[in-house]
Amino acid sequence: MLNLLRADLYKLRRSKSFYICLAIIALVVAYIIIDFKSSAHMKEQLNPSTFHWIYMLFEEQAFLPYFIPALQAIFITMLITGEYSTGTIKDSVSLGFSHTKVYMSKLITVSIGTILMLLVAIFTTGITSIFVFGIYGSFSIYDLMLLIRMLIIQDLLYTAHGSIFLMIAFLIKNIGSTMAVSLLLSLVIVPPLSTLVENSDWGRIFLIMNFSPTALPHPQAVDIRVAIAVALSYLILCSGIGWFTFKKQDIK
Amino acid sequence: MDEYILQTFGLTKQYGNNTAVYNVNMKIKKGDIYGFIGRNGAGKTTTIRMITGLVTPTKGEIELFSQKGEKNIKAGRPRLGSIIEHPALYPDFTAFENMKLRGKLLGIPDKKVINSILGTVGLSDVGKKKVKNFSLGMRQRLGLALALLGNPDFLILDEPINGLDPEGIVEMRKLLKKLNEEQGITILISSHILGELSKLATRYGVINNGTLVEEFTDKELQLKCRKYLSLKVSDSAKTSFVLEDIFKTTNYEVLPDNIIKVYNLLDMSGEICLELAKNDVKIYSIESKGDDLEEYFMKLMGGNNHA
């Protein structure tokens, strides 16, 4: 399993599309912070410290919750479906690794890739806001712990989102179709649906509705619990379907 | 007792109503170079995919390295190197990076091993050239290098000489022979290029329409394909006397209806006729017979229609 993960992480490290996704995140995040420059005179009212620009970025429902899944769709499709088109998906199976281990390794790689995306967003926000607004407000280890907590919850939610694309990749196996379905789902189908049920209790069954309530220094305990439950449900369901499909697949 | 690297028992694969492979019982001994022959679509690749675990058999069983059962077979798979249909390569990686990635899968961190194998297949000087810019021959050689990483005991090569130029084919043949003779690697090589396969294989399996038609060794093949003189005579006893007394040969076979097969003296048909006439033996017919390898395989594979 460790060998599989090492190999998958090596592929991720060498993936051009992944680096392009990271660069896009960095550029867009930097642009958004710079765009706030016009509000520089009221920076303390917007955020009490440099540190809080990060929360602002994650909390804005119309931005990262749509933007990161779209980029996830791209890198996951390239990473997984690319293996079907080159035939390299045969390697691990013909070397005796079980389908379960192969699938788990891909899921962990997706999660690590997602953490890296979030870290790039966080660091770019931090650095750009320092350049634009300077360092102000307080910062303590406690603040850092709160940020790490938010990062873990957000990664769980985004990984759950990634597990949907992973499942689609294993179901469809074709780069163009997988990319189209994944992007259609994350950009065209889910947003209007989630808007429809936004104010009802059932709205939280959409992953996208759980990002903002948990992207705060002090989210409500119930919001954290709901977000974790929803994320785990998506992870288990999508991974189950994806794994079962892969296990039953004849690899050509 | 013979040690079998691979045995299959009633291996069958069905896709819906279509039976791709039916009841294949294959036996490959340690040290064999097993030539797996069949025309396109005969079921070679499906059989190989089942052996390598890529396709689940509908029926039947596989015994790999004397081990049965999914768990035991999976444990033995790292001892197996394979190229199936075409080498599975990452086009944006260099040859070294492709090897490094396979090394990570196999838990081989040693760069020296990678460089040594790349040298063995003649790819030590490709540097940073990406695989997408490789020729077909270079890809095949890299595929073989990947299959060799991890010191396999058993190599499975599906059409490995496809796309190679004549020089490349000779190099590949020499390399495979060397691996077999010097390192004792058992090789299963599938191909429809019969002439090339016959220069390499020590055992053959012929598949036609998903069924393994016949298995035989290279020695058996030579016997099956040897040339002979076929004589139809009036008196087979006298003919035998002439062959043994005058031509000093016992390398012949007497068949019913006074037919005699003489396996040597192929260029002495004139002399044989003369001596038989002197001994009052009538000759109704005399002809040189025997299949060449290609004709023999064609017969097994269901005739020339699909060659």
Side-chain angles (χ1 to χ4, degrees), chain B residues 47-75:
Chain B
T47 306
I48 287 174
R49 282 202 180 113
M50 284 192 276
I51 294 166
T52 49
L54 300 176
V55 165
T56 313
T58 311
K59 268 188 217 162
E61 210 176 2
I62 295 169
E63 187 184 295
L64 188 66
F65 302 113
S66 307
Q67 298 291 320
K68 279 186 183 177
E70 202 186 329
K71 203 178 168 187
N72 294 331
I73 288 176
K74 269 185 183 162

Side-chain angles (χ1 to χ4, degrees), chain A residues 147-160:
Chain A
L147 185 70
I148 290 171
R149 183 180 68 180
M150 183 208 69
L151 180 66
I152 292 169
I153 298 168
Q154 293 290 307
D155 184 59
L156 182 65
L157 285 164
Y158 282 112
T159 300

Side-chain angles (χ1 to χ4, degrees), chain A residues 55-69 158 190-191 194-195 198 203-204 206-215:
Chain A
Y55 288 109
M56 191 207 73
L57 201 77
F58 275 86
E59 201 186 337
E60 178 49 66
Q61 187 158 316
F63 179 50
L64 284 187
Y66 288 118
F67 187 56
I68 287 189
Y158 282 112
V190 170
S194 56
T195 313
E198 198 171 5
R204 297 293 293 276
F206 284 95
L207 273 171
I208 203 163
M209 304 308 287
N210 290 281
F211 288 108
S212 292
T214 51

Side-chain angles (χ1 to χ4, degrees), chain A residues 32-137:
Chain A
I32 285 173
I33 301 293
I34 292 165
D35 197 45
F36 270 103
K37 200 175 178 183
S38 53
S39 322
H41 61 283
M42 50 186 290
K43 61 185 183 187
E44 280 89 355
Q45 280 160 283
L46 278 168
N47 289 303
S49 76
T50 301
F51 207 58
H52 282 74
W53 285 100
I54 295 164
Y55 288 109
M56 191 207 73
L57 201 77
F58 275 86
E59 201 186 337
E60 178 49 66
Q61 187 158 316
F63 179 50
L64 284 187
Y66 288 118
F67 187 56
I68 287 189
L71 294 174
Q72 271 183 314
I74 294 168
F75 99 81
I76 292 171
T77 302
M78 297 309 289
L79 203 69
I80 310 299
T81 328
E83 295 227 36
Y84 278 100
S85 69
T86 54
T88 44
I89 192 86
K90 290 184 282 197
D91 291 354
S92 40
V93 179
S94 66
L95 286 173
F97 292 102
S98 71
H99 288 68
T100 310
K101 284 181 181 169
V102 174
Y103 198 90
M104 278 301 293
S105 170
K106 305 278 182 217
L107 187 63
I108 294 169
T109 308
V110 165
S111 180
I112 291 172
T114 304
I115 286 184
L116 290 173
M117 282 179 154
L118 298 183
L119 286 175
V120 165
I122 287 171
F123 280 116
T124 314
T125 308
I127 291 165
T128 317
S129 63
I130 288 169
F131 272 115
V132 174
F133 303 110
I135 299 173
Y136 67 96

